[in-house]
Amino acid sequence: QVHLVQSGSELKKPGASVKVSCKAFGYTFSAYALNWVRQAPGQGLEWMGWISTKIGNPTYAPGFTGRFVFSLDTSVNTAYLQIASLKADDSATYYCARGEVGDALDFWGQGTMVTVSS
Amino acid sequence: QSALTQPASVSGSPGQSITISCTGTNSDVGYYNYVSWYQQYPGKAPKLIIYDVTNRPSGVSARFSGSKSGNAASLTISGLQAEDEADYYCSSYRNSRTTPVIFGGGTKLTVL
């Protein structure tokens, strides 16, 4: 069955970088785009952008340009979110979710909590 | 990115029906039939419960239904159960290259 498995929680110091993985199981990886969604503690969902698993082209929402990078390793059906120069307000749970733009996000990873603290 | 507008909280007693509204604009909710709803329990990932305004994914209870009128979409939960207590988020497609997906601020449902 379809599921997305994300890497475990991370504790990082300000200024460091982090790379979150999202491995897909149970479907053809290139058939659906992958989206990234941020949820700060006690806050709502915020769409960060998406990456085409067909051509690897990322699109970033405003506010997620520059320090945020979406990438793929299609050989292992895995998407990555890398965040550079971490700040305290990057502390959040990051979700990957399957869905073409315009379609609903039908399957979600379990979330990766990133904590940025000195 | 301006979020879709949802009430912060709603409540109802077991067996009752409740409706959660989601107000957008004529560039998103009002123009496209691509409204979806997600249910999220504390500490868990969101789960899709309604897509394309009215459709339920396989396995989602028929007690959940969606509708739309003008720039506002709604999620109705009938026969409220204790297990329905969760956060609910709406989402819509919008005609924007950089922000084609937008979420509502979320609604906390309390079952009294």
Side-chain angles (χ1 to χ4, degrees), chain A residues 39 44 47 61-62 95 101-102 105 109, chain B residues 1 38 40 44-45 89 98-100:
Chain A
Q39 187 169 38
W47 187 77
Y95 294 99
V101 173
L105 303 180
Chain B
Q1 46 180 309
Y38 302 88
Q40 186 181 34
K44 299 296 186 182
Y89 293 90
T98 56
T99 320

Side-chain angles (χ1 to χ4, degrees), chain B residues 9-93:
Chain B
S9 62
V10 298
S11 63
S13 299
Q16 287 185 331
S17 293
I18 63 94
T19 296
I20 299 172
S21 62
C22 170
T23 303
T25 70
N26 54 15
S27 295
D28 39 63
V29 174
Y31 193 84
Y32 298 99
N33 288 326
Y34 295 136
V35 176
S36 49
W37 290 90
Y38 302 88
Q39 177 191 58
Q40 186 181 34
Y41 293 111
K44 299 296 186 182
K47 173 190 173 185
L48 177 67
I49 56 173
I50 295 287
Y51 67 96
D52 295 351
V53 180
T54 61
N55 297 308
R56 282 188 314 277
S58 174
V60 173
S61 172
R63 297 185 300 104
F64 294 90
S65 62
S67 63
K68 190 184 87 166
S69 177
N71 293 340
S74 297
L75 171 71
T76 298
I77 309 174
S78 58
L80 208 57
Q81 299 179 1
E83 68 199 46
D84 299 330
E85 184 162 299
D87 293 325
Y88 292 85
Y89 293 90
C90 63
S91 179
S92 177
Y93 175 76

